[in-house]
């Protein structure tokens, strides 16, 4: 009696009334990915109410060798939370695990559940006069469980690190339903292996993170933000070094933007203004932040920029004089992806190289694009402070989208091969999902890939957890 | 022909001339631990010249099911680097892998080998105008491989985290001789599981770390240091919060010291002076540091202390006016362990609790000590900023050492049980080694312990790596 209907009935029996989502209008958007690259079909879509219910579902699926696809806010760029088309997998939404269990201000920690929306956690921290530094484009809809399972990056990595570095403790349901209860809020704890790190970035292939203890920081009370025209990416690096030192290492964002990025936003995004009159080839958005209320960050930034101007690194700069100007500068930076979309097709590469290698990588890889993709134009921008570039190639005016798409595989191969030569990563912050499984096989150091397979086999011997994501099923 | 002599000959054949250490005068100190708790005997003591030689040794030992004990500076407090007494294990010294392979100033990274002495790496970073924040008592003799294998803590954890948080990439020889080559210097890299974290803190039981890529920071150019008499540990916590916020989160050390700690150093350590005339029950050593040259940290610290005085948290304070005064304050703090030793026997507990729980833990556990160990007196000091206390009980004047040692097990059990009640750790920064294997079995969450065993079995199926350390052999 283990047909689909019976299995679904048995699953429903493990859950409360709201636990089984059978209305197709509700489940349909959960069965396709954020970028509409993948559409799946599920045996059942369930939304357990708590950790115990997640545990019951996984134990059941493990006994019956049913694949489990965990899902948070469903904002994966790589199809990491979409089931396959077989109608044999169970989609487990964590959305109902949405409580902030505790905030300990004196310990600078917060314990929150996997289904909490990131922006809500930022607010909860702020209300406790604390700062949760994890910040990314989708923060209004992405959920903590997904952030941790993909080791999310974002805008503050130079200062606070990736999501993994913000986690002190985890609660995880293992594939067989056992619950790892390690929600410690300890800064120092040297009692055996760091097993929790395995689940951070595993994209739900080793178990389901149900809650985490996160590091918090003192609330931010002052900021200084500048839009800076620089001589070239090398000069941007020199400026980064100078401003890190001069500011006491309080640079929280350091974004590189090419002229074409500014042009695209001016062309396609209403209300965007160029903060600097004279055009330049390269810009930097630099932001300092501090918990000191009376910190003269503006003056400090201006002084550093003036010195960098004397040295020829900086051509021109605009320091935001108020919150409106600051928002305007950020709007330009954050509109680049949308402006790119409005301008036409594009080939996207979420890559990173050592920070010191960014200028030379842009030279070499940019040269390859210019020589090999006449139908495309390079739009390379991103988080210079942490070496992460969105190394995209946009459709050139006068060409057709299909002409660009025709070279997608060739471009990906050439650019990712170059990334490897530079000691970089073909997936800096978007993970593997199902989109990049074969890229991982090509580029991961062979012994590292073997170790990943060893870990997967040891922790999920029946291979039920998010099959086909990260590693081949 | 696999008797000991033959195995040793075969090992020697895998190494260069200096690779086999057969002079007992050289090997004897390597066969006992730093605290002289353990003495071992080895089949052979080897010192491979490079990673390839380490790989050959491990492949050979794996084929022949020979236990391997890795050793760096041999400063373990838990017997983690001492072989057993069976004369069947091979001691592998990493001391010859002592090169700094590369420093990338623009990437703020250093690649160094396992046998580098920590203080030498600090110097190498400083010469490149960079700062390596890992700092601990034994830095003049401990080696990087041991620091990473034990996830070392130390004095700067509140600001920079444990050793694990300073590592971007690793080179590791696996038990079967395969080499994991993942010496990446990337800040963002989301390509699969974080397998490297398993080796950080594994104490050589999963493989041998041969090199690492470490994060560096801007060089420190200004400091402010104060010795502060506080009302009580609760007031110390309030002060910590105030000074983190007021300083823009540049507190690098925040140490709690009881009056008895000051008294012991005044009694036993020549040249120590009490920085404050009027005695108080509790003190804090607070240090701010910054890469800004012209940072007015002294004024900022004094202002914060004045406000804390008005609120009743601070009774009195002495801010170091020059480097000599700063060194004098640190000398007091760093002499406490030596003063304790000179004063008599002591029972040591390297514990941590959430920072917010430190005051209540001191109350409750201190009360237990007062009621149950009349022959002892509590000396609880340590890194309040990260929740790590050296919760020691010293021999009371007029009693004999054996009277204190008679209650060692009872005290350990009671204090570690209390630590668990407070959500803390029975081994904050010293690890497990062979000393605390049974403590780990008692206190680790059961599922976490099972996961550790699963990982050990998967990565070291023949159980050759540092047998009996961390987990039972």
């Amino acid at each position: 009696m283990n047909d689909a209907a019976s299995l679904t009935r048995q699953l429903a029996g493990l859950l409360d009334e709201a636990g089984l989502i059978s209305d197709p209008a509700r489940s349909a958007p959960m069965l396709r990915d954020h970028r509409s690259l993948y559409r799946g079909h599920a045996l059942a879509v369930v939304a357990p109410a708590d950790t115990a219910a997640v545990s019951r579902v996984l134990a059941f699926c493990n006994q019956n060798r049913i694949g489990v696809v965990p899902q948070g806010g469903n904002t994966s760029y790589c199809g990491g939370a979409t089931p396959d088309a077989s109608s044999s997998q169970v989609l487990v939404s964590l959305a109902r695990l949405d409580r902030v269990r505790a905030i300990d201000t004196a310990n600078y920690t917060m314990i929150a559940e996997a289904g909490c929306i990131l922006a809500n956690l930022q607010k909860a921290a702020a209300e406790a006069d604390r700062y949760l530094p994890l910040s990314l484009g989708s923060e209004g809809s992405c959920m903590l469980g997904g952030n941790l399972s993909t080791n999310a990056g974002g805008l503050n990595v130079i200062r606070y690190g990736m999501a993994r570095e913000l986690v002190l403790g985890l609660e995880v349901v293992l594939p067989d339903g056992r619950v790892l209860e390690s929600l410690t809020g300890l800064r120092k704890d040297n009692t055996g292996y760091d097993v929790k790190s395995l689940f951070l970035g595993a994209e739900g292939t080793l178990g389901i993170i149900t809650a985490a203890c996160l590091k918090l920081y003192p609330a931010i009370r002052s900021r200084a933000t500048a839009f800076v025209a620089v001589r070239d990416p090398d000069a941007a690096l020199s400026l980064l070094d100078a401003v890190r030192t001069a500011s006491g290492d309080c640079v929280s964002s350091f974004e590189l933007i090419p002229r074409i990025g500014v042009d695209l936003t001016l062309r396609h995004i209403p209300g965007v203004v160029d903060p600097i009159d004279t055009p330049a080839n390269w810009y930097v958005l630099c932001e300092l932040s501090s918990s000191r209320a009376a910190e003269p960050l503006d003056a400090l930034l201006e002084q550093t920029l003036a010195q960098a101007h004397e040295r020829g690194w900086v051509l021109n700069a605009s320091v935001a004089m108020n919150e409106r100007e600051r928002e305007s500068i950020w709007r330009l930076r954050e509109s680049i992806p949308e402006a790119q979309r409005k301008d036409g097709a594009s080939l996207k590469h979420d890559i990173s190289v050592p920070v010191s290698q960014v200028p030379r990588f842009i030279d070499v890889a940019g040269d390859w694009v210019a020589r090999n993709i006449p139908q495309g134009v390079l739009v390379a921008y991103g988080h210079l402070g942490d070496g992460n570039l969105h190394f995209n190639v946009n459709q050139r005016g006068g060409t057709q989208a299909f002409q660009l798409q025709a070279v997608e595989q060739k471009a990906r191969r050439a650019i990712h091969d170059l990334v490897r030569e530079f000691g970089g990563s073909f997936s800096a912050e978007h993970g593997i999902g199902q989109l990049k499984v074969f890229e991982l096989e090509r580029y991961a150091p062979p012994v590292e890939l073997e170790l990943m397979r060893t870990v997967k086999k040891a922790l999920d011997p029946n291979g039920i957890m998010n099959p086909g994501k990260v590693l081949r099923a």
Side-chain angles (χ1 to χ4, degrees), chain A:
Chain A
M1 274 304 289
N2 271 344
D3 59 9
S6 161
L7 289 170
T8 304
R9 245 190 334 270
Q10 292 174 64
L11 269 170
L14 304 172
L15 300 161
D16 62 10
E17 272 185 32
L20 186 73
I21 300 180
S22 42
D23 176 3
R26 283 187 61 210
S27 61
M30 303 165 78
L31 294 168
R32 58 172 182 265
D33 76 304
H34 185 64
R35 292 169 69 188
S36 294
L37 298 175
Y38 301 96
R39 269 161 207 274
H41 297 278
L43 172 68
V45 176
V46 301
D50 54 24
T51 302
V54 174
S55 164
R56 289 193 298 272
V57 168
L58 263 58
F60 175 82
C61 289
N62 193 49
Q63 278 155 17
N64 291 280
R65 306 292 188 266
I66 299 171
V68 172
V69 180
Q71 188 175 95
N74 197 18
T75 58
S76 172
Y77 268 34
C78 302
T82 311
D84 67 17
S86 67
S87 294
S88 69
Q89 301 177 330
V90 173
L91 181 79
V92 178
S93 166
L94 279 301
R96 292 174 70 200
L97 280 78
D98 62 352
R99 289 183 311 140
V100 174
R101 292 193 193 162
I103 294 181
D104 182 341
T105 52
N107 197 42
Y108 287 81
T109 50
M110 162 194 279
I111 295 179
E113 293 182 342
C116 294
I117 289 174
L118 178 55
N120 293 345
L121 296 180
Q122 294 166 345
K123 266 180 234 148
E127 281 161 16
D129 198 31
R130 291 292 178 265
Y131 178 57
L132 175 65
L134 190 63
S135 171
L136 45 148
S138 58
E139 62 198 24
S141 58
C142 66
M143 292 176 185
L144 179 63
N147 296 148
L148 302 185
S149 292
T150 58
N151 186 28
L155 296 165
N156 290 325
V157 171
I158 181 178
R159 176 95 163 263
Y160 300 99
M162 304 286 283
R164 182 180 289 130
E165 293 176 68
L166 300 174
V167 176
L168 293 173
L170 282 185
E171 179 187 271
V172 182
V173 180
L174 301 183
D176 59 7
R178 282 178 298 162
V179 181
L180 172 66
E181 288 172 338
S182 190
L183 275 175
T184 164
L186 301 174
R187 253 67 184 184
K188 275 185 174 172
D189 179 17
N190 271 346
T191 51
Y193 306 158
D194 182 24
V195 290
K196 79 168 189 310
S197 275
L198 286 177
F199 302 97
L200 299 164
E203 305 185 24
T205 62
L206 299 177
I208 295 184
I209 295 172
T210 47
C213 182
L214 304 174
K215 289 183 199 169
L216 300 177
Y217 290 84
I220 298 297
R221 289 195 163 74
S222 54
R223 277 198 177 86
T225 311
F227 194 76
V228 186
V230 291
R231 192 190 61 209
D232 53 29
D234 260 319
L237 264 194
S238 301
L239 176 64
L240 172 59
D241 202 16
V243 77
R244 279 190 76 169
T245 297
S247 70
D249 218 12
C250 75
V251 179
S252 40
S253 295
F254 200 86
E255 305 282 307
L256 184 70
I257 301 167
R259 179 66 216 175
I260 191 172
V262 177
D263 285 338
L264 286 172
T265 56
L266 292 173
R267 193 180 310 152
H268 295 291
I269 310 294
V272 165
V273 283
D274 187 345
I276 295 175
D277 297 335
T278 329
N281 289 330
W282 290 97
Y283 301 88
V284 156
L285 189 169
C286 174
E287 186 160 283
L288 312 181
S289 60
S290 170
S291 61
R292 286 196 220 176
E295 180 88 284
L297 288 180
D298 283 350
L300 197 151
L301 183 55
E302 276 168 14
Q303 191 186 345
T304 309
L305 289 171
Q307 287 162 354
H309 179 68
E310 282 170 29
R311 293 180 162 197
W313 303 334
V314 164
L315 307 175
N316 218 325
S318 166
V319 177
M321 302 309 287
N322 50 49
E323 186 58 24
R324 196 183 50 74
E325 289 185 15
R326 177 178 171 261
E327 279 170 13
S328 171
I329 290 175
W330 271 109
R331 183 168 160 72
L332 190 161
R333 162 65 185 86
E334 291 186 329
S335 301
I336 297 176
E338 192 188 340
Q340 271 197 295
R341 266 194 302 276
K342 291 191 172 169
D343 202 61
S346 67
L347 311 177
K348 293 183 191 298
H349 310 93
D350 168 42
I351 63 99
S352 66
V353 293
V355 176
S356 54
Q357 300 299 311
V358 170
R360 210 163 59 84
F361 179 82
I362 291 176
D363 274 355
V364 174
D367 191 51
W368 186 90
V369 169
R371 281 186 292 107
N372 290 278
I373 314 189
Q375 64 274 47
V377 55
L378 181 65
V379 184
Y381 67 97
H383 321 291
L384 177 60
D386 56 44
N388 177 198
L389 289 180
H390 300 297
F391 198 82
N392 300 340
V393 181
N394 261 41
Q395 180 184 350
R396 193 181 282 280
T399 66
Q400 302 296 315
F402 75 87
Q403 293 174 294
L404 186 67
Q405 281 146 0
V407 296
E408 178 162 13
Q409 291 191 28
K410 175 182 148 190
R412 186 196 308 135
R413 173 60 50 95
I415 291 167
H416 288 177
D417 280 1
L418 272 175
V419 164
R420 170 162 62 182
E421 278 178 38
F422 277 80
S425 167
F426 66 90
S427 193
E429 59 176 4
H430 295 163
I432 305 296
Q434 45 190 305
L435 183 65
K436 297 183 183 172
V437 170
F438 293 98
E439 296 295 280
L440 183 67
E441 290 188 3
R442 179 175 173 83
Y443 294 108
V447 174
E448 193 164 348
L449 192 62
E450 288 164 28
L451 272 178
M452 290 182 204
R453 290 180 177 141
T454 300
V455 165
K456 169 74 177 177
K457 201 173 165 189
L459 268 64
D460 180 23
N462 298 321
I464 66 157
M465 290 309 308
N466 217 359
K469 316 293 164 54
V470 184
L471 299 171
R472 243 194 275 202

